[in-house]
Amino acid sequence: MIHGKVKSLLAAGVFSLAMGSLNATPLKLLVINPCGAYVHTTAINWVSNYLTTVLGPREGWTVVAPPYTAAATVRTYFNTDSLNKFQVIMWNDNTSAGGVITDANQRLAYQTWVRKGGGTLGWHGFLDHADLWPFVTDSILAGTKFTDHSPWNSTAGRNAKVRWDTVKVNGETTVRANKTEYAKIKAGFTYALQKQNSTNDQITYPDEWYSFRSNPRLATASTVWGGYPRAPDILYTIDENTYDVPTAVKMGPDHPEAWAYKFPPLCDTCRQGRFIFSARGHDVGAYDGKSAGAAPNGSDSSQLGPTKTFLLEGIYWAANLDGTITSIKAANASFDGMMRTEKKNGVLNVSVSGFGTHEVGVYTLSGQNVAKRIGSGSADYSFNNLKGASVYLVRVKSAGKTKTERVAL
């Protein structure tokens, strides 16, 4: 797997993953289990135990996961020194983010940590009651909030068709979630399609499917960040015609259930903070395939796609270990240089997000230009067949300013 290769590269010091003052290795994860109005006790305990006893040890992570009754203990981590030791914070089915972190200084420490490159994974109940903390709703959750969910007492009523997101832009089909950085999350989804023998690109899964007060895809510029766009990349949607959605909270044909978002960096040398959310995970059956929330065919292997794989790859994505190196800022454009090591000849993927025109160039250390692309706004570029040299310079020019990153392939 690429993650093992990434870890070995980090150990060898081949490239840096510094996030401002955040430590890069080994991956350290803080799991927030304390809950609010409704406690998903069995699901919280299952995920927390899975992270600490299975996934963490297997992947070489350090996982800190106080029990869901230990809200006071969790609060002690919400200061600058403690947060800077973690790459990712997971809100594990927590139905009251605002109710757990109540002190203004603790909240400010978390918000600053995010803006300096910290990664957040939100899981299911995290969307419930989240607007008790305005930063969570106004920024991280693209202005939306949980309103209601499908019934849990009817098997047929909670079985929804789920589809990896595809939208049409200017008459052309664009799959936003097909960006390279989401490939591993999508691979799990594709695996589930195969296990369910799906022929229409939709899989059927039961869950307590959430509705939201607004569609995150339509989120407008956030005043919190001075007009920076906050609409996330939608990862998958559900078909309201296939499950029992309460009439008062129907969202229509476009009903997102998972999405990802990058924050504008707090400083020129800071990385972009990342947030990724999945509404699936109400019941233990979402993970073990055996209880009430199991897939229609009762197959645990079918569950591995949208749940366990999303959990694993979502954490790596949030930690910026999906192959992405440093996030830097060049005038009115922000730059992510993404490196992949699966192919022998090396493939460099560069994602530029921001405004205005920009030029992306790849150079050898001696200054020879081996590739160049010109674009505007947000764009993804793939540079193949970079043979010969093992280290390159990636240079982004925007509005008369230049920023350069050293990349090892």
Side-chain angles (χ1 to χ4, degrees):
M1 293 178 65
I2 184 174
H3 305 314
K5 294 180 181 179
V6 168
K7 284 188 290 185
S8 64
L9 287 170
L10 288 170
V14 177
F15 62 87
S16 172
L17 281 164
M19 295 189 289
S21 60
L22 299 175
N23 298 322
T25 56
L27 193 154
K28 197 166 185 179
L29 170 69
L30 176 63
V31 183
I32 309 299
N33 290 317
C35 246
Y38 179 85
V39 182
H40 298 76
T41 305
T42 56
I44 288 172
N45 288 337
W46 194 98
V47 172
S48 183
N49 181 68
Y50 182 66
L51 289 169
T52 54
T53 66
V54 179
L55 211 53
R58 189 187 79 193
E59 299 294 314
W61 302 343
T62 299
V63 181
V64 177
Y68 73 82
T69 54
T73 300
V74 167
R75 294 187 190 104
T76 64
Y77 290 99
F78 278 71
N79 60 75
T80 300
D81 291 339
S82 292
L83 289 177
N84 282 346
K85 297 176 182 178
F86 295 95
Q87 283 77 27
V88 180
I89 291 177
M90 178 183 181
W91 296 90
N92 181 22
D93 251 340
N94 192 295
T95 57
S96 182
V100 174
I101 310 302
T102 56
D103 180 83
N105 290 329
Q106 293 170 351
R107 293 183 176 188
L108 179 60
Y110 172 72
Q111 292 163 204
T112 303
W113 174 84
V114 170
R115 294 294 311 283
K116 285 188 174 182
T120 296
L121 175 66
W123 208 250
H124 189 61
F126 178 63
L127 218 62
D128 190 0
H129 307 298
D131 66 352
L132 292 176
W133 185 352
F135 168 78
V136 172
T137 301
D138 294 342
S139 322
I140 285 183
L141 295 178
T144 194
K145 181 188 179 292
F146 163 84
T147 53
D148 205 346
H149 57 71
S150 58
W152 190 245
N153 58 358
S154 166
T155 300
R158 62 174 183 259
N159 287 343
K161 290 285 187 181
V162 185
R163 170 172 285 170
W164 196 253
D165 186 53
T166 304
V167 295
K168 285 193 173 183
V169 178
N170 296 327
E172 296 184 2
T173 298
T174 302
V175 185
R176 293 180 179 174
N178 271 3
K179 291 181 179 179
T180 307
E181 60 191 282
Y182 306 126
K184 293 187 179 299
I185 299 174
K186 186 187 178 185
F189 189 90
T190 302
Y191 177 80
L193 285 174
Q194 297 169 345
K195 285 296 179 180
Q196 290 195 13
N197 296 314
S198 176
T199 58
N200 59 0
D201 296 328
Q202 295 186 97
I203 53 177
T204 300
Y205 276 112
D207 213 296
E208 188 184 69
W209 296 110
Y210 280 5
S211 290
F212 318 114
R213 67 182 174 192
S214 61
N215 190 329
R217 191 196 305 278
L218 305 178
T220 57
S222 171
T223 57
V224 176
W225 308 127
Y228 191 89
R230 63 177 182 180
D233 286 331
I234 304 300
L235 299 183
Y236 64 76
T237 61
I238 56 175
D239 185 347
E240 290 189 348
N241 295 318
T242 60
Y243 75 103
D244 292 340
V245 55
T247 302
V249 294
K250 286 186 175 182
M251 297 177 63
D254 185 24
H255 188 141
E257 285 290 309
W259 56 83
Y261 178 74
K262 295 179 182 178
F263 287 84
L266 189 62
C267 60
D268 285 351
T269 58
C270 296
R271 291 158 58 87
Q272 287 180 317
R274 294 181 168 201
F275 170 74
I276 186 167
F277 172 76
S278 174
R280 180 158 164 77
H282 172 75
D283 185 82
V284 175
Y287 314 101
D288 64 16
K290 299 174 182 178
S291 55
N297 61 8
S299 169
D300 179 59
S301 62
S302 177
Q303 298 291 320
L304 291 178
T307 49
K308 289 181 180 177
T309 302
F310 197 108
L311 185 61
L312 168 67
E313 302 298 346
I315 290 171
Y316 272 118
W317 183 90
N320 228 343
L321 287 177
D322 58 315
T324 304
I325 55 171
T326 310
S327 171
I328 57 180
K329 192 173 183 180
N332 60 1
S334 58
F335 159 74
D336 280 340
M338 199 181 319
M339 188 196 70
R340 294 282 172 175
T341 60
E342 291 95 342
K343 295 184 179 180
K344 292 182 180 179
N345 291 331
V347 176
L348 174 68
N349 294 293
V350 178
S351 176
V352 177
S353 58
F355 308 94
T357 59
H358 57 261
E359 177 185 290
V360 179
V362 181
Y363 300 81
T364 64
L365 293 182
S366 62
Q368 178 186 3
N369 178 228
V370 295
K372 183 182 294 185
R373 305 281 177 79
I374 297 176
S376 62
S378 298
D380 298 321
Y381 306 96
S382 182
F383 299 96
N384 300 309
N385 302 317
L386 297 177
K387 300 177 181 179
S390 59
V391 180
Y392 295 89
L393 299 176
V394 177
R395 186 168 297 155
V396 176
K397 296 180 181 179
S398 177
K401 294 185 178 180
T402 301
K403 196 69 178 181
T404 302
E405 274 298 321
R406 184 185 178 100
V407 180
L409 288 179

